[in-house]
Amino acid sequence: MKPQTRRTYVSETVAGLKPSGIRRFFDLASSLDGVVSLGVGEPDFVTSWSIREASILSLEQGYTSYTANAGLFELRQEIAAYLRRKFHVEYRPEAEILVTVGASQAIDLALRAIVNPGDEVIVVEPGFVAYEPLVVLAGGTPVAVHASGADGFQLAPARIEQAITERTKAVIICSPNNPTGTVLRPSELDALARLAERHDFLVIADEIYAELTYEGEYISMAAVSGMRERTILISGFSKGFAMTGWRLGFAAAPEDILQAMLKIHQYAMMCAPTMAQYGALEALRNGEHEVEHMRNSYRRRRNYFVAALNEIGLPCHLPGGAFYAFPSIRHTGLTSEQFAERLLLEEKVAVVPGNVFGASGEGYIRCSYASSLEQLQEAIKRMKRFLARL
Amino acid sequence: MKLSDKELEIIEILEKDARTPIDVLAKMIELPVEETEALVKKLEEANVIVQYTALVDWRKADGHEGVTAMIDVKVTPKRGVGFDEVAERIYRFPEVKSVYLMSGAYDLSVVIEGRSMADVAQFVSEKLSTLDSVISTTTHFILKKYKHDGIIFDQGDQDRRIVVAP
């Protein structure tokens, strides 16, 4: 006899995951017209034509079959050359580089490749929404360490040290950071490196925004003394090359870890899409000028937007990279959810509440300035009006 | 004239959008408004910023008729003044929108705007071809403008991104 209702088949792990707070705001903002959106975590540039054209050419030439699991060898060679040129780190394309479906997949693979049940992974907050759920899905336990707004959301090595236990397997960092735009200082990277050596853990370094660093030379975690062997470097093409929809990222890591990641990737994903890989080849070979153009454009918009936020009474540190401003709204007496929701409903400006990025994001909102200057000016005008009413 | 980094930033921003308000411009380049204003004025006076113009898609202005022609002109350069004298005689005509000295199959590239093809034809046959130094002209009419001065007409570049994303 058939049972009348079936039991739920959803795993307890998945059932226990919180839905992304960004999703809720997306639903709310999408239901309104005339919204000025500062809620978008992606470039407002369309992928440069030469990259699109290279991908079209690959289709015309019939490159439509699988590539090697780890990605086109040519592309891995270019990635190795890029990492050497930009960040002064050496990786062997045949064994230490993996092309993935977005940097997100690379983070997932990194965690699944290293985490045993019960292992702890320290996640620096505020941070990208996917880190903690991915740790949980990998069977690990996320341990949040809060960065402080008073220090421009720099890493707090002392607090990380307090959170370290015998089960600590890795620390996830993101520089420049989503949502704060903070670029980690060399001294903080170095302090983390010393901790990693002393307590024997790995660092998963999400460097997807590295190309969007405005001042000074970018320092990769893998380039810090002694860290090449302890770092899983994650990056991709979405942000710097304006290729979000292409879903193409990569990981570089010591051979034993990278090969473990490849093992999962070959069963779960086979390989990244071929036409996207040809586009990425062109991006690395000839995309430098376009990246510079986009970086300059973001930098000028950052200068305008952060100065304007401070002027209208939303104190904000000057972010060193990415395209996010993370102003404090604490003095308004509203929670970040209340602030974002009222701003959206009353003035039709979409921002993301800071608490979506972890408890330490409470009291802040994330504003993406990857929007036209006209839109940014309009948003500032509306936010000023909103603040005056509070 | 050697430009400072801030001056280069100013001309890059204003070349893209000449209407950027001065207070916004000042924030973008991280200088006080007065100082920014002074730099813009200096660039204008030095003719680095020559003019602020609007790029117009005339097809959208009902009732406006006009044609643009590009004319390849072969000329005999004159001793002492080379091509400059004949170029000046040509660019002084108000119908002439631009004149470039070219390498290759012809010497001057002249862009002319007229109300009709007949207008342009008349200009070429009566004014341009009859100049002493002009050896020959080849006229090409522009049928449609797709891209002009780096700007794509009708590119439909609306923001296709979703409103809130990670």
Side-chain angles (χ1 to χ4, degrees):
Chain A
M1 209 169 93
K2 274 188 188 169
Q4 282 187 319
T5 53
R6 66 169 174 80
R7 64 191 159 103
T8 176
Y9 285 88
V10 175
S11 83
E12 285 167 23
T13 312
V14 175
L17 289 181
K18 275 192 304 189
S20 163
I22 284 189
R23 183 76 224 171
R24 197 178 84 77
F25 258 79
F26 169 72
D27 291 340
L28 191 59
S30 307
S31 65
L32 300 169
D33 288 329
V35 170
V36 175
S37 181
L38 307 179
V40 185
E42 62 179 316
D44 63 332
F45 293 96
V46 176
T47 312
S48 82
W49 175 246
S50 71
I51 297 173
R52 286 186 274 161
E53 203 271 338
S55 184
I56 294 168
L57 180 68
S58 78
L59 290 175
E60 284 178 349
Q61 291 178 333
Y63 291 120
T64 58
S65 45
Y66 294 125
T67 67
N69 292 133
L72 284 168
F73 187 60
E74 261 177 299
L75 178 57
R76 281 181 279 149
Q77 282 177 311
E78 283 295 337
I79 291 170
Y82 168 81
L83 292 174
R84 185 183 314 123
R85 186 169 72 236
K86 283 265 172 187
F87 310 127
H88 317 294
V89 282
E90 290 283 342
Y91 286 98
R92 287 178 296 125
E94 61 279 8
E96 295 180 321
I97 290 173
L98 171 63
V99 178
T100 58
V101 180
S104 308
Q105 193 219 350
I107 298 163
D108 185 32
L109 290 176
L111 288 164
R112 287 205 274 162
I114 62 169
V115 169
N116 289 315
D119 279 352
E120 292 173 358
V121 177
I122 293 176
V123 179
V124 181
E125 282 189 0
F128 179 48
V129 292
Y131 297 147
E132 290 197 11
L134 289 177
V135 172
V136 173
L137 286 170
T141 305
V143 177
V145 169
H146 297 177
S148 154
D151 190 26
F153 297 100
Q154 279 293 329
L155 265 188
R159 275 187 238 167
I160 289 178
E161 188 160 23
Q162 282 167 14
I164 293 169
T165 70
E166 285 193 346
R167 303 232 53 149
T168 302
K169 199 64 171 280
V171 175
I172 305 181
I173 58 168
C174 177
S175 172
N177 179 277
N178 173 7
T180 64
T182 298
V183 177
L184 297 179
R185 287 189 289 252
S187 54
E188 261 67 12
L189 293 176
D190 208 54
L192 180 62
R194 301 294 76 83
L195 286 179
E197 282 177 336
R198 197 170 338 130
H199 297 277
D200 191 15
F201 59 77
L202 293 172
V203 175
I204 298 176
D206 181 351
E207 304 190 347
I208 186 79
Y209 291 98
E211 283 284 3
L212 305 181
T213 306
Y214 303 125
E215 273 92 26
E217 197 185 1
Y218 182 78
I219 298 174
S220 169
M221 189 72 221
V224 174
S225 154
M227 284 308 287
R228 189 194 172 287
E229 292 307 308
R230 293 195 174 274
T231 302
I232 304 178
L233 191 165
I234 310 266
S235 193
F237 298 85
S238 291
K239 315 293 182 177
F241 295 93
M243 293 172 69
T244 51
W246 298 65
R247 307 315 305 125
L248 208 67
F250 60 86
E255 183 170 352
D256 57 335
I257 298 171
L258 200 281
Q259 291 306 311
M261 291 168 68
L262 174 59
K263 215 188 271 182
I264 309 169
H265 177 76
Q266 72 190 359
Y267 293 126
M269 211 55 81
M270 311 294 174
C271 66
T274 304
M275 63 284 258
Q277 294 192 53
Y278 279 101
L281 253 184
E282 170 64 18
L284 293 181
R285 284 176 180 165
N286 300 308
E288 180 79 32
H289 182 70
E290 287 278 337
V291 173
E292 193 186 337
H293 165 71
M294 292 189 278
R295 181 169 47 234
N296 279 335
S297 173
Y298 290 133
R299 179 174 50 79
R300 290 174 190 142
R301 285 185 264 172
R302 171 201 67 166
N303 291 346
Y304 162 69
F305 190 66
V306 174
L309 281 175
N310 281 304
E311 245 174 49
I312 64 170
L314 290 180
C316 185
H317 73 284
L318 188 70
F323 35 62
Y324 306 111
F326 203 61
S328 167
I329 51 99
R330 203 160 271 157
H331 62 289
T332 64
L334 300 175
T335 65
S336 55
E337 288 243 5
Q338 286 165 340
F339 186 96
E341 195 164 329
R342 279 187 59 185
L343 181 63
L344 180 60
L345 296 175
E346 293 174 29
E347 288 289 351
K348 294 193 176 175
V349 176
V351 298
V352 182
N355 69 331
V356 160
F357 306 97
S360 56
E362 181 52 58
Y364 296 86
I365 51 169
R366 190 193 74 176
C367 308
S368 159
Y369 51 82
S371 279
S372 71
L373 194 60
E374 292 73 34
Q375 292 273 293
L376 295 177
Q377 286 174 258
E378 180 61 26
I380 287 288
K381 201 171 92 189
R382 295 185 190 191
M383 288 163 94
K384 188 177 176 183
R385 207 159 54 199
F386 176 70
L387 288 166
R389 266 205 314 277
L390 288 181
Chain B
M1 177 177 175
K2 173 88 177 136
L3 298 186
S4 68
D5 287 349
K6 296 288 183 194
E7 288 166 335
L8 282 171
E9 292 237 43
I10 288 175
I11 54 177
E12 274 178 39
I13 294 166
L14 292 182
E15 189 182 31
K16 196 163 167 249
D17 183 4
R19 295 184 50 170
T20 308
I22 196 80
D23 62 316
V24 174
L25 180 63
K27 286 191 181 82
M28 289 172 90
I29 63 166
E30 298 179 288
L31 281 184
V33 173
E34 301 73 37
E35 218 171 302
T36 309
E37 237 165 0
L39 286 179
V40 171
K41 191 145 181 278
K42 181 183 153 199
L43 290 164
E44 288 168 358
E45 281 168 359
N47 245 4
V48 175
I49 296 175
V50 183
Q51 197 166 17
Y52 299 99
T53 63
L55 181 61
V56 178
D57 188 351
W58 281 107
R59 289 172 309 160
K60 291 185 177 143
D62 281 347
H64 177 89
E65 287 173 20
V67 291
T68 306
M70 299 180 79
I71 304 167
D72 312 341
V73 186
K74 284 187 189 169
V75 299
T76 314
K78 280 193 177 163
R79 185 186 293 268
V81 291
F83 293 97
D84 295 352
E85 188 185 81
V86 63
E88 181 172 352
R89 291 196 66 180
I90 294 171
Y91 69 60
R92 293 286 179 197
F93 288 108
E95 302 82 334
V96 173
K97 294 301 164 193
S98 55
V99 176
Y100 308 107
L101 179 62
M102 310 292 287
S103 66
Y106 54 93
D107 304 303
L108 297 173
S109 173
V110 178
V111 178
I112 298 207
E113 280 180 13
R115 273 169 303 178
S116 63
M117 284 170 82
D119 240 20
V120 173
Q122 193 182 6
F123 176 84
V124 174
S125 61
E126 291 181 9
K127 301 278 171 47
L128 196 57
S129 306
T130 55
L131 291 173
D132 274 354
S133 311
V134 171
I135 302 166
S136 71
T137 62
T138 309
T139 304
H140 314 274
F141 285 100
I142 290 178
L143 303 181
K144 185 175 179 180
K145 283 185 188 169
Y146 293 100
K147 187 177 184 181
H148 184 81
D149 274 356
I151 306 294
I152 297 171
F153 285 63
D154 292 330
Q155 60 181 337
D157 60 347
Q158 71 274 25
D159 200 338
R160 294 188 181 87
R161 298 174 302 168
I162 53 177
V163 200
V164 177

